[in-house]
């Protein structure tokens, strides 16, 4: 059949006029998990084999704007299944990335498309959520930064992922004993090499009176980072991505449990030629440099005033707390604990029998995630959870899909967060509005603890 030029142009125009849904869907940008090499230990140590996102550890910093739709395709080029959790995002449940709860793990060679809206600005991160106690320790994580519509009055910002790696000092390779009983039953897997953005001895040049936004993320498996500002004056602007109503001057240490984030705005007050530091408290009790800021040049002859608050996100209020339904979560077990027995897979096991299964911890007398949720909440219901830590170790409790505020005895509510560091022997209480439907994980972010019993979930319908 012959088609003249006019008919061809008409048919081509009709094709261009097809609705978007009828055209081929664009493939999202791809994040590939694969084995790679990284210079974690300082030279002349050799490179370390890591599992990285796009071959990097940490993976690439992902930037997006508040209110936009975020899409990425995960391509698993590892030899084991994996998945990605988008830590802190109030996300659609099907996109939360928890293997065995919200999705099946992504098999080697397979892909999974993540697509979700970004309702909140703030500092978030992404990490593996399949055997996470191993995969995160091997490097499968990165930062997700959701930008506010208007930037604060700063000269620049830095995204800083803090981590510790357990490295064999002879080979500079990652210690592969992820199921070591000591780690599972004590404080978790603590490393011997401290890094920032995958670099030991991280350095950033600064200028006197320069104002810098620091987005700090604790990506460690178990380490609690105790941080101090030296030659820097700062204000806490946001916690776990959520802006504070007013900036809080940093007057003491900044404590970050695993999974927690903090946004600081700092002014460089050291003189030209000196060095400012973000320092961390080492295991020996000494202060060491986490990030060094050699001061070269002057940004301004005078200091700026206290920064203005960051614009608030939506749905930051937690109402109905006084009349809310209350649930208790009792944390027991671990070394030097008093747990004698607990329920595991429908059987009553002694603590010794639990240990033989690699399980050392219990929530409400039960080991690990069960078929029945800790809480079944109605959509929009306010829930209070009293968390009792009856162990001798701290635990960073992380709630997926929603944020909470700590409820104090005098009735005041703390800042909005998604991860709460509960110290040994403490009882703390949180309140949240169950405003996101789905099945949501609630677990200790000392990842070895989660793998050995400290995991439960919340259902919102």
């Amino acid at each position: 059949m012959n088609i003249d030029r006019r008919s061809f142009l008409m048919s081509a125009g009709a094709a261009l006029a097809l609705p978007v849904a009828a055209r081929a869907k664009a493939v999202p940008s791809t994040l590939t998990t694969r084995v790679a090499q990284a210079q974690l230990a300082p030279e002349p140590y050799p490179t370390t084999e890591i599992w990285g996102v796009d071959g990097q550890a940490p993976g690439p910093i992902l930037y997006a704007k508040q209110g936009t739709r975020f899409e990425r395709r995960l391509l698993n080029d590892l030899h084991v299944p994996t998945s990605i959790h988008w830590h802190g995002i109030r996300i659609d449940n099907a996109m939360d990335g928890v293997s065995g709860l919200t999705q099946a793990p992504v098999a080697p060679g397979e892909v999974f498309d993540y697509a979700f809206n970004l309702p909140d600005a703030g500092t978030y991160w992404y990490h593996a959520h399949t055997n996470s106690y191993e995969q995160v320790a091997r490097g499968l994580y990165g930062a997700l930064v959701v930008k506010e519509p208007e930037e604060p009055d700063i000269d620049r910002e830095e995204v800083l992922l803090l981590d510790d790696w357990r490295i064999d000092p002879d080979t500079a390779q990652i210690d592969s004993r992820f199921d070591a009983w000591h780690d599972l039953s004590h404080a978790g897997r603590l490393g011997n090499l401290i890094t920032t953005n995958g670099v030991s001895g991280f350095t950033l040049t600064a200028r006197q009176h320069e104002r810098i936004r620091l987005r700090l993320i604790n990506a460690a498996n178990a380490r609690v980072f105790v941080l101090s500002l030296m030659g820097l004056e700062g204000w806490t602007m946001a916690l776990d991505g959520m802006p504070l109503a007013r900036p809080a001057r940093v007057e003491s240490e900044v404590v970050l449990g695993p999974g927690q984030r903090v946004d600081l705005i700092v002014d460089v007050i050291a003189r030209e030629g000196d060095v400012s530091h973000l320092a961390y408290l080492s295991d020996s009790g000494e202060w060491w440099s986490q990030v060094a800021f050699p001061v070269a040049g002057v940004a301004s002859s005078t200091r700026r005033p206290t920064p203005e608050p960051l614009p608030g996100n939506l749905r930051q209020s937690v109402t109905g707390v006084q009349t809310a339904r209350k649930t208790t979560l009792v944390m027991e077990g671990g070394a030097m604990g008093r747990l004698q027995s607990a329920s595991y897979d429908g059987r009553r096991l002694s603590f010794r029998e639990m240990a033989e299964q690699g399980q050392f911890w219990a929530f409400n007398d039960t080991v690990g995630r069960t078929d029945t949720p800790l809480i079944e909440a109605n959509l929009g219901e306010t829930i209070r959870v009293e968390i009792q830590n009856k162990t001798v170790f701290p635990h960073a409790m992380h709630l997926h899909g929603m944020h909470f505020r700590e409820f104090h005895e005098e009735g005041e509510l703390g800042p909005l967060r998604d991860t709460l560091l509960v110290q040994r022997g403490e009882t703390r209480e949180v309140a949240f509005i169950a405003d996101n439907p789905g099945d949501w994980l609630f677990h200790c972010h000392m990842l070895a603890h989660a793998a050995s019993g400290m995991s439960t979930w919340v259902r919102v319908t």
Side-chain angles (χ1 to χ4, degrees):
M1 180 176 65
N2 294 324
I3 302 177
D4 60 27
R5 183 173 183 273
R6 181 171 181 273
S7 299
F8 173 80
L9 291 174
M10 290 179 64
S11 64
L16 291 174
L18 284 172
V20 173
R23 303 178 199 164
K25 184 179 179 181
V27 175
S29 299
T30 299
L31 298 173
T32 303
T33 52
R34 59 184 176 86
V35 175
Q37 297 288 323
Q39 188 70 54
L40 296 179
E43 295 180 341
Y45 282 101
T47 60
T48 301
E49 182 181 283
I50 55 96
W51 296 359
V53 179
D54 290 350
Q56 305 173 43
I61 300 174
L62 306 178
Y63 291 96
K65 292 182 179 180
Q66 183 180 16
T68 61
R69 188 154 179 86
F70 181 88
E71 297 185 3
R72 287 295 188 279
R73 168 168 288 183
L74 167 61
L75 170 60
N76 183 12
D77 201 21
L78 297 169
H79 63 284
V80 294
T82 191
S83 62
I84 295 179
H85 168 55
W86 308 90
H87 187 121
I89 299 295
R90 297 195 276 192
I91 198 171
D92 295 337
N93 190 243
M95 297 289 107
D96 197 42
V98 180
S99 292
L101 184 66
T102 67
Q103 71 167 86
V106 182
E110 297 297 319
V111 300
F112 187 92
D113 289 345
Y114 292 97
F116 48 89
N117 296 327
L118 295 170
D120 304 310
T123 301
Y124 306 99
W125 65 304
Y126 61 94
H127 60 80
H129 220 298
T130 303
N131 294 329
S132 55
Y133 71 107
E134 175 180 357
Q135 295 193 8
V136 174
R138 290 188 181 276
L140 285 178
Y141 64 84
L144 172 57
V145 174
V146 184
K147 293 280 194 173
E148 301 93 353
E150 296 183 8
E151 295 285 340
D153 179 23
I154 57 174
D155 294 312
R156 75 181 206 256
E157 73 171 37
E158 299 290 346
V159 180
L160 304 174
L161 290 109
L162 316 182
D163 197 2
D164 65 346
W165 306 75
R166 185 175 295 179
I167 300 294
D168 185 323
D170 294 325
T171 65
Q173 300 309 303
I174 293 172
D175 188 323
S176 61
R177 293 170 294 178
F178 294 99
D179 57 354
W181 277 23
H182 186 277
D183 296 340
L184 297 174
S185 63
H186 285 69
R189 182 183 169 96
L190 299 172
N192 55 3
L193 177 67
I194 305 292
T195 63
T196 302
N197 295 352
V199 176
S200 175
F202 194 70
T203 299
L204 293 168
T205 302
R207 297 172 294 160
Q208 186 182 24
H209 296 163
E210 187 175 18
R211 176 160 282 185
I212 309 171
R213 179 178 187 170
L214 302 180
R215 298 179 181 265
L216 305 179
I217 302 168
N218 184 350
N221 265 39
R223 181 175 296 274
V224 177
F225 279 94
V226 180
L227 306 168
S228 181
L229 301 179
M230 299 180 178
L232 302 166
E233 184 176 0
W235 296 264
T236 300
M237 307 300 295
L239 294 169
D240 292 351
M242 295 297 167
L244 302 184
R246 293 178 301 277
R249 184 181 295 274
V250 177
E251 297 179 336
S252 60
E253 290 85 6
V254 176
V255 179
L256 275 188
Q260 291 186 318
R261 292 90 62 214
V262 62
D263 284 50
L264 303 178
I265 286 182
V266 299
D267 289 345
V268 180
I269 58 176
R271 296 177 180 177
E272 189 175 8
D274 290 342
V275 181
S276 299
H277 293 276
L278 174 68
Y280 75 94
L281 189 62
S282 70
D283 295 338
S284 64
E286 300 174 296
W287 290 102
W288 290 79
S289 182
Q290 183 78 41
V291 182
F293 296 88
V295 181
V298 178
S300 172
S301 60
T302 59
R303 297 276 308 278
R304 289 177 169 99
T306 299
E308 294 295 319
L310 298 173
N313 289 321
L314 299 175
R315 296 166 32 227
Q316 286 199 235
S317 297
V318 177
T319 58
V321 175
Q322 295 295 339
T323 58
R325 178 158 56 102
K326 186 175 177 178
T327 298
T328 300
L329 179 69
V330 179
M331 302 190 290
E332 295 181 287
M336 298 169 285
R338 297 181 178 179
L339 184 65
Q340 299 297 313
S341 65
S343 176
Y344 179 56
D345 280 347
R347 297 183 297 146
R348 193 77 192 175
L349 299 183
S350 69
F351 188 76
R352 177 181 292 275
E353 289 170 328
M354 287 170 51
E356 291 171 352
Q357 300 290 323
Q359 302 297 311
F360 294 90
W361 310 91
F363 285 164
N364 292 353
D365 200 41
T366 301
V367 177
R369 196 169 72 231
T370 61
D371 294 336
T372 303
L374 172 71
I375 302 166
E376 292 192 62
N378 296 318
L379 187 63
E381 183 182 4
T382 302
I383 298 292
R384 286 166 57 178
V385 183
E386 181 181 271
I387 304 172
Q388 300 176 12
N389 184 357
K390 294 188 176 182
T391 81
V392 300
F393 298 98
H395 303 287
M397 289 301 298
H398 172 50
L399 176 64
H400 287 220
M402 293 166 285
H403 281 61
F404 50 73
R405 291 185 183 272
E406 186 169 3
F407 180 76
H408 300 287
E409 288 184 2
E410 57 273 20
E412 295 182 358
L413 294 176
L416 200 64
R417 305 203 68 152
D418 59 55
T419 306
L420 180 71
L421 183 61
V422 185
Q423 298 290 352
R424 56 179 292 176
E426 281 189 335
T427 293
R428 309 275 287 278
E429 188 171 346
V430 299
F432 66 94
I433 296 179
D435 56 3
N436 201 355
D439 294 341
W440 301 105
L441 200 64
F442 189 30
H443 67 102
C444 177
H445 221 279
M446 279 69 171
L447 297 177
H449 294 174
S452 56
M454 302 193 93
S455 182
T456 185
W457 58 293
V458 175
R459 170 167 287 167
V460 180
T461 55

